[in-house]
Amino acid sequence: MAVLGGHPLWAAALVVGCLAQATTAFAQAPAPLEANVKAVFLYNFAKYVTWPGTGKIGERSPAEIRICVTANDGFFNLLKTAVQGEDVDGRPLLPVALDGLDAARTCQILYVGDTKSPDARAWLSAVRGRQVLTVGDGDTTQDVVIAFVRDSNRVRFDINRAVAARHSLNVSSKLLRLARQVRDR
């Protein structure tokens, strides 16, 4: 049996070193993985939401589905990759990095990140009552229709149907069944 450097301890040290690096890399991996999962969820939500007077995304809707994100270049780049070449009901998905509150009013889906941040509250106020599917991290009591939550190291989501109704949106029963929790107030 050939052993690195002629000593079994060298081989053991090499294995331990590799395992330590792999463990560190694995421990750092959830953040990008979590962000990728959220990016894919965002465009899939469009398949299960009905905007008023248009059915899914209908003839009165813009030619594309605008999925808007607020001030996070890393997440925006992941979203661009996730939606590249994708469409819903024949409409291409267009990721948009927002640069101002007025621009949020042109979105079909608005992802605000942490729902408890002052910035998120400003973005949500800008689209309150509009036909925009609002999505955030943390809590559906913060005026978002869908909130991403961590549940046993998995990305799940909660849905607030009362907020959806205020935005004149109807969430499909298929999506409601996938939610971790559904709120009606």
Side-chain angles (χ1 to χ4, degrees):
M1 169 174 144
V3 179
L4 183 65
H7 297 287
L9 290 178
W10 279 103
L14 181 62
V15 169
V16 169
C18 289
L19 286 174
Q21 286 180 342
T23 302
T24 302
F26 182 73
Q28 295 171 353
L33 178 60
E34 181 175 330
N36 277 319
V37 169
K38 289 176 182 179
V40 171
F41 266 131
L42 283 177
Y43 84 79
N44 278 304
F45 290 153
K47 298 175 186 177
Y48 300 100
V49 173
T50 306
W51 278 258
T54 62
K56 287 265 187 204
I57 302 284
E59 62 280 347
R60 291 192 297 163
S61 296
E64 70 273 344
I65 299 170
R66 295 171 55 91
I67 303 176
C68 303
V69 298
T70 60
N72 185 326
D73 293 336
F75 184 77
F76 178 70
N77 290 331
L78 289 172
L79 180 64
K80 282 193 320 189
T81 300
V83 304
Q84 187 173 11
E86 299 291 340
D87 70 80
V88 173
D89 295 335
R91 289 185 159 50
L93 299 171
L94 177 65
V96 176
L98 292 175
D99 58 3
L101 295 175
D102 288 337
R105 296 180 183 111
T106 67
C107 305
Q108 282 70 49
I109 299 172
L110 171 62
Y111 175 68
V112 297
D114 179 8
T115 58
K116 293 180 182 174
S117 77
D119 288 343
R121 288 193 290 269
W123 291 107
L124 293 170
S125 289
V127 298
R128 186 167 286 124
R130 294 185 173 269
Q131 300 166 3
V132 177
L133 176 63
T134 53
V135 183
D137 297 328
D139 189 343
T140 54
T141 62
Q142 298 296 322
D143 208 24
V144 292
V145 177
I146 299 175
F148 289 120
V149 292
R150 298 277 321 247
D151 185 11
S152 300
N153 287 328
R154 293 177 55 201
V155 176
R156 304 277 315 271
F157 58 90
D158 295 341
I159 298 175
N160 189 321
R161 292 195 309 187
V163 176
R166 287 197 300 268
H167 288 264
S168 302
L169 303 174
N170 183 37
V171 180
S172 163
S173 62
K174 292 177 183 177
L175 189 59
L176 293 172
R177 283 193 298 268
L178 294 174
R180 182 190 72 137
Q181 181 179 45
V182 177
R183 294 178 181 232
D184 288 313
R185 51 184 168 84

